Amino acid sequence: MSAQYFAPKGGHPDQNTLLTDRAIFTPAYAVIPKGTMRDIVTSFLPFWTGTRLWVLARPMTGFAETFSHYIMEVSPGGGSDRTETDPQAQAVLFVLEGQATLTVDGNTHVLEPGGYAYLPPSSDWTLHNKGSDPVVFHWFRKAYEAVPGLEHPDVIVTNEKDIAPTVMPDTDGAWATTRFVDPSDMRHDMHVTVVSFKPGGVIPFLETHVMEHGLYVLEGKAVYRLNNDWVEVEAGDYMWLRAFCPQACYAGGPGNFRYLLYKDVNRHMGLRPIHRDGVA
């Protein structure tokens, strides 16, 4: 079965549609269903032409604070020669639909569905849609946490189909992760992976990660445990988790359940300075 990549289409429901939906925002997690990604909630960016975006996550004090996550929709002929305005921001791009022409540090690449690019901070990169159909892609942004003695990571451009998934131990192949970055490479302070479950596959315990998480469902459906709640999710839905929010899932079938996962990694936990009087 070939990989599928659900992309939002926007639009608006008609006036007869019930307001009831699965959207929820709690102190521990948020669920943004695919039906929430309508025209009226799109945003725009300076120096991008023919482009709109859905903001799925942004740093928020008291919630998840490390990253932002966009779904970008670039019309034919659109794009940007000045993509990023923050020199400290690193990026991961992941294409859902169409063909994106990415030029980074003078090298040009064509990203098709499943295409992945890691762009270190201060990269000189541009992106354009030179095709006849819209390009839809994820854009993760995070301020890079430099460590003395470690160089910045290298540019990575690849495609999911060219990487063999790593099967989780003791799962008989029901649970696997496609990793675009070597987990032992300490230069990286964020990972974006594709997590896959065969029908009936499970996360068999409540994970409580120190990492903040963003999960976009690429295909299939599942029942996902978030803190104390079981929620149904399907292709096009987004889950946003604070650090330590318990999580688990059952993949519902009949097809595979797969999601694009963000997490922050490989750095000390930030500590607040203590004043001389002992009060933070």
Side-chain angles (χ1 to χ4, degrees), residues 44-233:
F44 303 92
L45 293 174
F47 313 117
W48 283 82
T49 62
T51 301
R52 64 178 184 172
L53 63 147
W54 288 273
V55 177
L56 300 180
R58 52 163 292 179
M60 294 178 60
T61 300
F63 192 70
E65 302 185 355
T66 62
F67 73 107
S68 67
H69 184 176
Y70 310 151
I71 295 181
M72 305 285 289
E73 182 186 85
V74 182
S75 300
S80 179
D81 288 321
R82 188 178 173 186
T83 52
E84 177 60 72
T85 56
D86 184 345
Q88 296 186 15
Q90 60 189 318
V92 166
L93 312 180
F94 187 88
V95 176
L96 301 175
E97 286 187 348
Q99 290 187 335
T101 300
L102 170 70
T103 300
V104 53
D105 296 334
N107 299 310
T108 298
H109 311 269
V110 176
L111 299 180
E112 298 182 333
Y116 168 102
Y118 171 77
L119 306 168
S122 299
S123 295
D124 180 15
W125 65 279
T126 67
L127 188 142
H128 294 275
N129 181 358
K130 297 183 178 181
S132 57
D133 298 312
V135 172
V136 183
F137 64 94
H138 290 267
W139 182 1
F140 299 86
R141 300 170 66 247
K142 180 181 184 293
Y144 183 67
E145 297 180 57
V147 176
L150 291 179
E151 297 180 351
H152 284 184
D154 300 319
V155 172
I156 300 172
V157 180
T158 186
N159 193 291
E160 182 197 2
K161 71 178 188 307
D162 298 324
I163 300 174
T166 300
V167 175
M168 298 293 285
D170 304 318
T171 64
D172 196 26
W175 177 11
T177 301
T178 301
R179 296 188 172 95
F180 301 97
V181 171
D182 182 350
S184 67
D185 188 343
M186 292 294 107
R187 296 177 300 169
H188 287 271
D189 66 357
M190 62 181 279
H191 285 170
V192 174
T193 62
V194 176
V195 180
S196 303
F197 293 89
K198 293 181 179 178
V202 302
I203 297 176
F205 68 104
L206 284 176
E207 299 180 359
T208 52
H209 291 287
V210 65
M211 304 95 159
E212 297 174 357
H213 279 26
L215 297 81
Y216 176 86
V217 183
L218 295 169
E219 64 175 292
K221 59 185 175 68
V223 181
Y224 218 94
R225 174 69 176 263
L226 298 169
N227 203 17
N228 293 321
D229 306 317
W230 287 100
V231 298
E232 289 186 294
V233 293

